[in-house]
Amino acid sequence: MPSDPKIEISATLLRKLHRIHRQRADLDGRIARGPRQITAGEAFVAKAEADMSSVKEALKKANLISDEKQLQLKSREVQIDQLQTKLNSAASNREFNLLKEQIAADKQANSVLSDEILEAMDEIDGLETKLKDVATEFENQKDAQQNRIAEVAAKTAELQSELARVNAELEQSEKQIPTEVMVEYRRVIKSKGEDALAPVEDESCGGCYQVLTTQYIDRLRLSVLIRCPNCNAFLYLPESTRV
Ligand SMILES: [Zn+2]
């Protein structure tokens, strides 16, 4: 039965209950947003940390490569010196020419290596600059996250106290609900939340847009408890409606 002519309930009470349930839903939503903001912030911090680690890793690798090349350069320089000594005491023209060729080849190889070392050092410089930037970004993200956590905590406390106030108001208002409706009211509130109540808008249910017959509206004007035949919401006339 969508309505029971025996049960009367005032539009003022239903309006108030709906307003309070909407406030609660809004507050619940805003309270739930806090942890999501913190989680999103954690992802920013993790990303900044990963960026920093990858630059650190690249820098370590570039340093290793540069060190290796410098060692190679030095050992080849020693080798060239040794060849030079041998060259000075070469026993034959053939040996002399072979040593000369070898020295020229080693010098050529070292010249290429020197260029590569310069390139590697440029890369290291670039990575060191980049590391400073990503390290700063990481620090900034950590600071931002700390601020975010503090802000969310303050905001949540504020919202919780507002919610407590609204809940107290709800408890007071619910005392005015006729006892015979209470079980149904609790059941619908539990399953539909703020949508358990709906204003009549343009002769339709404001919750599901079901068109309501004139009989429904007439009974509502007499403060008869009416449920929407479609979505089961407790219907009420908005304040602007003439009674
Ligand atoms: Zn409806």
Side-chain angles (χ1 to χ4, degrees), residues 192 198 204-210 212 227-233 235:
K192 290 166 69 81
S204 304
C205 166
C208 71
Y209 308 109
Q210 161 81 39
L212 303 162
R227 308 281 295 279
C228 170
N230 182 48
C231 75
N232 233 5
L235 294 170

Side-chain angles (χ1 to χ4, degrees), residues 113-132:
L113 202 52
S114 295
D115 287 347
E116 284 175 8
I117 290 168
L118 284 177
E119 271 171 35
M121 283 173 144
D122 273 351
E123 198 196 341
I124 289 167
D125 280 352
L127 285 169
E128 274 169 351
T129 307
K130 201 174 172 190
L131 181 59
K132 272 181 203 149

